[in-house]
Amino acid sequence: MLDVTSTAYSPAELLHRFQARTSESPITHVEHVPAREGRPAPWPSWASPEVVAALNAHGIARPWEHQATAASLAAEGIHVVVATGTASGKSLAYQLPVLSRLLGDERATALYLSPTKALAADQLRAVAKLGLDGVRPATYDGDTSREEREWIRQHSRLVLTNPDMLHHALLPGHARWGSFLRRLSYVVIDECHAYRGVFGSHVAHVLRRLRRLATRYGGSPTFVLASATSGDPADAASRLTGLPVTAVTADASPRGATTFALWEPPLLPADPPDENLPEVRRSALSETADLLADAVVAGTRTLAFIRSRRGAEVVATMTRRSLDEAVPGLGDRVAAYRAGYLKEDRRQIERALLSGDLLGLASTNALELGVDLVGLDAVLICGYPGTRASLWQQAGRAGRAGGEALAVLIARDDPLDTYLVHHPSALFGRPVEVTVLDPANPYVLGPQLCCAASEAPLRADDLELFGGEAARAAVDGLTASGALRKRPSGWYWTHPGRPDVDLRGAGGAPVSVVESATGRLLGTVDQSSSHFMLHTGAVYLHQGVTHLVDELDLEDAVALVRRADPDWSTHARDVTDVSVLGVRSHVDAGPVGLYLGDVEVTGQVVSYQRRRLGSGEVIDTKPLDLPVRELRTVAVWFTVSPRALEAAGVEPPDVPGALHAAEHAAIGLLPLMATCDRWDIGGLSTANHVDTEAPTVFVYDGHPGGAGFAERAYATAAAWLAATREAIAACGCESGCPSCVQSPKCGNGNNPLHKPGAVRVLDTVLAALGAATAG
Ligand SMILES: [Zn+2]
Ligand SMILES: [Zn+2]
C-alpha cells in the first residue's frame, strides 16, 4: 500500500519524477525564480497606535516597504494603486490608512470593493479579528437580509461589497446611503486587474456614478487600488477610476524560490506509421492528469489550472481513474473545481485541500478560488492562461514557507503555447500586459448614462466625468431615441423602473443545467457558451459524470440533461458573416491595407458532429435549430491585392486556405499583445469580401461594442503579425497542425488551410507595412 503523507520532495525531485515517465524530454526550459529577501519599513508616524498594536498582536511586526509607501500616499489623500505579486500583503497597504482614519475620525466611513463575494468575506474576517472598536465592518451582498441591510446602512463604517451590488442596490438607493456617502473617506478597489474588457468598462462607469453621488452629498473619497502585477498599473487604474493615480510597484515582501518548468507534451507515435498523417502531440489534458496523479502519489498538495470547465472535469476524472487503478480509493483525494458549482460545494473543496484531505485539485480560474489557498507544493498550469499576469497569479499559489515550490506550464497543441515554450524570453523577464478596458465603448456608455440619470438627473457638467465628447454624443443619441428626456435642468430618466443593465455583459441570464430525473440544479453556463456547450444532443460533463442534453430551452434559460455514458464526443459547428459598418482608421500600404473599424458579425451554431472517443472518427453530423446571434463590434482587418498575392507565389486556388491559416494563427498570437484570449476574439477570412472587394482577413472583438482588443491589435499590428509569421514558419509540421494554423474553435472544421501560403501572405503584408511606415 502506498503511503501518502506530507511531501519531502524538492521541486527538482518532483520534476525528475515527472520526467521519468517518458523517454522523451518534454522539458523545454527550466527557470529558477530566486528567493527574495524582504525589506521591512518602520510604521509611518501618522498610523493609529491602536491599529499598529492590533496588527502587532496578529503577528505583523513591521510593514514591508511597498505597504508603508502606498499607505502613506493614501493617508495624504493621493489616489494610489499598489501592484505587486500574489501574497505580497497588499491588504495592509489599504487597511493601515483606512482603519487609522476610521479610528481617528469617528464619523468617517469607507467602502471596500472586490470582484468576488469570497474575497470580501475573507477581508471581513481579517478586519474583524483585529477587534477595533467602532469600525463595525460588514459585508453587503446578495445574501444580506433586509434587516441586516438596514443595520449596515445606519451603523457600519466599513462596508465590504462588490461592483454588482453597488450598481444594483447601493447607487440606486443612494438616498438611504446619504450620510454614509457624505462621510465617505476611502474607496478600496481590491484585485482591480479583474476589471478588464467589457466588464471593466462597465465597472469604470459604476465608479464614476459613485464619485458623482458622493460629491453631491459632500464626500470626496481617496481611492486605494490593489492589483496583481500588471503593465502600467497607474494608467489602468486611472482609466478605471477616471482619476490621476500613483502606482507603487516595488515588491518588498520576501518570497520563496520557485522552479518554473516549461513542458511540451511528446508526439504520439503514429500507429501504424504513416507519413501522410500529421504529427499530433499528446493532449495537454492527458499530460496534466498524469502529472497530477504522480504528484498525488508523491504526497504533494498540487493544484492544476485548466482553461475550460470541461477540461477541469476531464482532468479530475482521468486522474482519479489512474490513481484508483494504482491504489483503490486513492482517487478520492482528487476533485474538480470550477465556476458554476454552488458556493457551499466550492468552499468545502477548498477546505479539504487546505487540510490535506484532498491532495489534488483540477480547477478553472484562479480568481474563483478563495484567497486562503496559497502555500501549495506545486502548481500545474495546463495551457497558457492567456496573459503573463494570470500565469504569475496562478504560479503564485505555489510557495511553501521556507522551501521551494514547483510550477509547470504544460503547452497545449496551439500556436501561442508552442511559441511560448520555445521562446521562454517571451514569458520570463518581461513586464506583464497592460489591462485593457474602454469606458468609451458606446454599448457600455449609453446604458451607464441611463443608470446615472435614473439615480439623479444628468447635468451638463456631469458629462466631463463620463468621458466628455463621447458622453455628450451618447446623451444626444439617448435623447433622440427617447431613452432620456431633456429639461432645462438636465437629462432625466422618466421610464418606470430602472434601466436593465448587466455589468457582466454576458448577454442574458445564465442557462441553468438541470438533471431532468431529479430536478437537481447542477450548475450554470453563460448564454453565449450555451449554444456551443448545451445544444440539444451535446455531451456535457459535471464533476466527471457524463450527461447528455435532452433539450436546450433558451426562452426559460434551462438545459435539461440526463446521465449517460456515450462513446462519442460532440463538436458544435457555426457559420459567421462580417459586414463593415465604418472605418475608424487605416493605413494605406500600396497593395496592402490595414484597417480598424466597426463591423456587424452574425453567427449561428448550425450543426454538431459526433466523434468516436479515442479515434476521433466522425460518426455523423446533425443539424441544429438555434437562433442567429448578432454582434456589433470593433474589428481589425487587412486586405492584400490579388496581384500581390500572385507575385508572392500564392496561386489563386490556394488563396482561401492561405488567408484562413493566417487568420487562425493571428488570432492565436493576439494574446501576446492584449489581455484577451483566443475565445474573446473571432475571425473571418475570405478571398473576396463584398465590402472590401479584396482578399481579406478580419479579427474582431467577441464583445458588443468591442473591449479594446482589436484596437490593441491595430496599434501593434507589425509586431503582432511578425510573431504570427514566425510561429507558422518555425513549426516543424508539413502542412499545418494545431501548434500553428489549426484552430480548436474553427467553425469550418479547419478546412481549407494552406500553411506555406499563410507565410507568404504575412510576408507580403509585413513588407508593405514596413515600407509604408518607413516612407
Ligand atoms: Zn504546425
Ligand atoms: Zn477557421
Side-chain angles (χ1 to χ4, degrees), residues 279 413 415 418 727-742 755:
E279 292 179 313
D413 208 359
T418 307
I728 304 173
C731 189
C733 72
E734 186 95 345
S735 56
C737 71
S739 296
C740 57
V741 298
Q742 292 184 1
K755 179 182 166 184

Side-chain angles (χ1 to χ4, degrees), residues 660 663-664 743 746-748 750:
H660 190 200
E663 172 217 321
H664 280 182
S743 163
C746 182
N748 275 327
N750 282 304

Side-chain angles (χ1 to χ4, degrees), residues 310 533 535 537-541 546-549 566 568-570 608:
R310 181 186 285 232
M533 290 176 65
H535 60 78
V539 174
Y540 176 77
L541 276 170
T546 315
H547 297 79
L548 269 177
V549 178
W568 66 83
S569 58
T570 52
Y608 68 100

Side-chain angles (χ1 to χ4, degrees), residues 48 99-106 157:
S48 151
L99 296 173
S100 291
R101 178 66 185 272
L102 296 184
L103 292 193
D105 171 0
E106 61 181 28
R157 296 170 58 218

Side-chain angles (χ1 to χ4, degrees), residues 154-197:
Q154 297 193 356
H155 301 291
S156 175
R157 296 170 58 218
L158 174 57
V159 173
L160 300 104
T161 185
N162 51 62
D164 306 80
M165 276 307 275
L166 201 54
H167 167 67
H168 287 296
L170 203 147
L171 295 177
H174 62 87
R176 285 182 290 179
W177 287 88
S179 72
F180 184 91
L181 290 171
R182 182 168 63 249
R183 297 178 283 141
L184 187 59
S185 57
Y186 282 104
V187 175
V188 176
I189 306 176
D190 206 354
E191 302 275 356
C192 67
H193 56 277
Y195 305 125
R196 63 172 193 94

Side-chain angles (χ1 to χ4, degrees), residues 108-349:
T109 60
L111 191 64
Y112 165 95
L113 300 171
S114 75
T116 64
K117 282 196 255 177
L119 188 56
D122 188 77
Q123 280 297 308
L124 175 68
R125 273 195 300 278
V127 172
K129 80 174 181 202
L130 295 177
L132 300 167
D133 276 343
V135 174
R136 298 185 292 272
T139 52
Y140 183 81
D141 59 34
D143 302 336
T144 313
S145 71
R146 191 177 286 264
E147 301 79 62
E148 285 174 296
R149 289 185 184 200
E150 184 59 34
W151 183 90
I152 290 168
R153 277 195 291 270
Q154 297 193 356
H155 301 291
S156 175
R157 296 170 58 218
L158 174 57
V159 173
L160 300 104
T161 185
N162 51 62
D164 306 80
M165 276 307 275
L166 201 54
H167 167 67
H168 287 296
L170 203 147
L171 295 177
H174 62 87
R176 285 182 290 179
W177 287 88
S179 72
F180 184 91
L181 290 171
R182 182 168 63 249
R183 297 178 283 141
L184 187 59
S185 57
Y186 282 104
V187 175
V188 176
I189 306 176
D190 206 354
E191 302 275 356
C192 67
H193 56 277
Y195 305 125
R196 63 172 193 94
V198 172
F199 178 48
S201 309
H202 271 294
V203 173
H205 286 292
V206 171
L207 294 173
R208 282 157 178 77
R209 284 157 52 199
L210 171 67
R211 285 177 49 208
R212 183 175 78 121
L213 292 173
T215 305
R216 290 209 173 174
Y217 287 101
S220 68
T222 301
F223 280 70
V224 187
L225 301 95
S227 166
T229 332
S230 79
D232 205 350
D235 181 65
S238 342
R239 270 177 172 240
L240 187 63
T241 58
L243 293 163
V245 180
T246 302
V248 173
T249 56
D251 194 334
S253 64
R255 182 179 64 191
T258 305
T259 298
F260 207 129
L262 304 182
W263 185 285
E264 184 174 48
L267 289 168
L268 285 175
D271 184 25
D274 182 349
E275 280 174 18
N276 298 318
L277 283 179
E279 292 179 313
V280 178
R281 296 195 174 276
R282 216 164 160 247
S283 87
L285 292 177
S286 316
E287 199 79 346
T288 303
D290 280 354
L291 301 190
L292 185 56
D294 272 357
V296 167
V297 170
T300 53
R301 283 186 310 158
T302 303
L303 187 53
F305 285 110
I306 325 289
R307 299 287 311 264
S308 69
R309 295 169 165 205
R310 181 186 285 232
E313 304 279 3
V314 167
V315 167
T317 307
M318 290 195 289
T319 308
R320 279 199 293 255
R321 196 175 292 155
S322 70
L323 286 172
D324 277 333
E325 271 167 27
V327 181
L330 193 52
D332 292 344
R333 304 194 65 181
V334 174
Y337 176 112
R338 62 161 171 81
Y341 284 1
L342 304 176
K343 185 178 79 179
E344 307 83 73
D345 297 346
R346 292 202 268 155
R347 295 297 162 253
Q348 197 200 335
I349 294 173

Side-chain angles (χ1 to χ4, degrees), residues 2 85 89 166 193 209 213 265 298 329 348 389 421 427 431 441 451 549 581 586 623 636 680 712 727 737:
L2 283 165
L166 201 54
H193 56 277
R209 284 157 52 199
L213 292 173
Q348 197 200 335
V421 292
L427 289 177
N441 176 333
C451 293
V549 178
L581 304 175
H586 78 284
V636 58
D680 280 327
R712 270 298 282 172
C737 71

